[in-house]
């Protein structure tokens, strides 16, 4: 009789909580540096502030290290291949695969767009997928991609975006452009070896189209988003 | 045997791909590394350092896609001519919003050469011709011979002067280097289509 694994517990809520904590810790460290950084206070107060900042930084580093360690042990190695949107719909637990791919891809997309801190919610991605899968045919191509993009934005899959002036976008919404790039990448025809290059290209293309994407998302123009997806998915 | 230019094409530096080149070239993940590799090779060849604005390059790629989609012929007999035309449109988009800048004088180029006169224009032209040559060889088993006009600095001077007023001039320049007599008043109208419209008997 073959050995059967017990039902694995759903670790997504724990992962989500740990990532949220890690985001808050990182963000707090930056806020302290920006608020009472060097040169912002006169001499006697600056000495006290410097000592305080050192203590806060040390505490933040210790906490982040602990949180990251636990988070990594829960998240585990990302050894699953990144599938296209069409293939994801064919696998069991499609919602979980979509959410995991969305998390990993959005982190990379946001970094390429110059975002220095952001929280990406895997749980929100899963919720968006389940919601759209219940009402849109999973082979609907551009329409499915557009519906997922709007659902991901509604679910606030990206939160707390910080760019520290390093954003590559001169206009438009970082969240909308990043989610559009994700869907472009998920729809693109690519091999496993091309995943990273395709993700970079999807991001670069979306950055060029930032104004159109942001405008379509702002007025929830799913048809326009589907047209843009259909036009550019083959050019990633 | 027709006379050929000394302008060097570098099809060997273009990234390898399992897809037909006509498809790969319309993917940014091929186009961008192809251009970056070309910049590196040309820089070494003419002894010149270049910087590339990658955001501009992506925007140029998108505009080029839009331009070729607009002009794409329905008739398959026009494919070969359209390949040349697509290369001409690529040069137009590159020169109109030049994504590359020379940060040093070319030390290895002959003083009277196009590469010394205008390194950026020379680089973009050689890139478009090289991509076209590679695609034409794959699709039509055709060899691309660059017209000797490419070695005449007066043409490059005219090219550089005219594109300041009209970016479309680039498209005519490239068609000239491919041995065609461009329609200089409308160089971005697909030649075959225009010929048919002017002479329906063809």
């Amino acid at each position: 009789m073959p050995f059967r694994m017990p039902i694995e517990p759903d670790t997504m809520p724990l992962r989500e909580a740990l990532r949220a904590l890690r985001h808050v810790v990182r963000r707090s460290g930056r806020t302290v540096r920006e608020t009472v950084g060097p040169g912002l206070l006169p001499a006697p107060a600056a000495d006290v502030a410097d000592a305080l900042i050192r203590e806060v930084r040390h505490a933040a580093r210790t906490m982040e290290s602990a949180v990251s360690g636990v988070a990594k042990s829960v998240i585990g190695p990302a050894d699953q291949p990144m599938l296209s949107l069409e293939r994801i719909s064919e696998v069991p637990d499609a919602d979980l695969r979509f959410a995991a791919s969305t998390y990993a891809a959005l982190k990379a997309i946001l970094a390429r767009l110059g975002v220095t801190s952001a929280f990406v919610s895997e749980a929100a991605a899963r919720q968006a997928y389940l919601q759209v899968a219940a009402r849109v045919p999973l082979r609907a191509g551009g329409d499915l991609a557009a519906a997922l993009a709007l659902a991901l934005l509604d679910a606030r899959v990206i939160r707390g975006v910080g760019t520290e002036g390093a954003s590559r976008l001169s206009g438009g919404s970082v969240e909308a452009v990043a989610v559009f790039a994700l869907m472009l990448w998920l729809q693109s025809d690519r091999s496993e070896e091309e995943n990273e290059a395709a993700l970079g290209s999807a991001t670069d293309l979306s950055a060029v189209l930032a104004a159109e994407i942001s405008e379509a998302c702002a007025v929830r123009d799913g048809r326009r988003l589907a047209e843009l997806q259909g036009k550019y998915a083959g050019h990633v | 045997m027709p006379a050929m230019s000394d302008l060097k094409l570098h099809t060997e530096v273009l990234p390898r791909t399992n897809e037909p080149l006509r498809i790969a070239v319309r993917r940014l993940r091929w186009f961008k590394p192809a251009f970056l590799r070309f910049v590196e090779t040309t820089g070494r060849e003419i002894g010149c350092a270049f910087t590339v604005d990658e955001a501009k390059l992506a925007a140029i790629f998108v505009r080029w896609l839009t331009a070729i989609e607009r002009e794409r012929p329905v008739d398959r007999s026009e494919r070969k001519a359209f390949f040349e035309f697509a290369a001409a449109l690529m040069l137009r988009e590159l020169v109109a919003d030049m994504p590359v800048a020379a940060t040093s004088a070319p030390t290895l180029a002959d003083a009277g050469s196009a590469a010394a006169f205008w390194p950026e224009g020379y680089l973009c032209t050689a890139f478009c011709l090289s991509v076209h040559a590679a695609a034409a060889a794959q699709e039509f088993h055709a060899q691309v011979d660059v017209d000797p006009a490419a070695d005449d600095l007066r043409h490059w001077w005219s090219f550089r002067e005219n594109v300041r007023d009209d970016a479309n001039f680039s498209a005519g320049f490239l068609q000239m280097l491919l041995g065609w007599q461009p329609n200089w008043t409308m160089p971005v109208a697909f030649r075959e289509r225009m010929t048919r419209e002017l002479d329906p008997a063809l």
Side-chain angles (χ1 to χ4, degrees), chain A residues 112 168 188-191 194 197-198 200-202 204-205 208-209 231-236, chain B residues 17 19 23 26-30 32 54-55 57-63 65-66 69 72:
Chain A
R112 194 173 177 95
R168 270 180 55 194
S188 67
D189 181 14
R190 62 189 196 279
S191 65
E194 292 176 308
S201 289
D204 293 348
L205 281 173
V208 173
L209 304 168
K231 183 174 177 184
Y232 290 104
H235 300 302
V236 163
Chain B
T17 168
E19 294 183 304
I23 293 173
R26 288 181 286 131
R27 298 200 198 278
L28 185 58
R29 67 175 183 267
W30 185 91
K32 186 174 158 184
E54 295 187 16
L57 191 61
I60 286 163
F61 176 76
V62 168
R63 284 197 293 274
L65 284 180
T66 304
E69 283 302 321
R72 182 186 294 280

Side-chain angles (χ1 to χ4, degrees), chain B residues 60 63-72 82-96 128 167-168 170-172 174-175 187-190:
Chain B
I60 286 163
R63 284 197 293 274
W64 176 64
L65 284 180
T66 304
I68 57 174
E69 283 302 321
R70 195 182 300 135
E71 295 284 339
R72 182 186 294 280
F82 188 70
F83 270 51
E84 293 173 356
F85 190 71
L89 290 180
M90 187 188 286
L91 184 62
R92 178 189 69 172
E93 298 305 337
L94 285 166
V95 173
C128 295
N168 291 336
S170 308
L174 197 107
Q175 288 170 63
V188 290
F190 183 39

Side-chain angles (χ1 to χ4, degrees), chain A residues 128-138 144:
Chain A
Y129 186 88
L130 288 170
Q131 183 205 341
V132 171
R135 62 181 172 84
V136 180
L138 291 175
L144 174 63

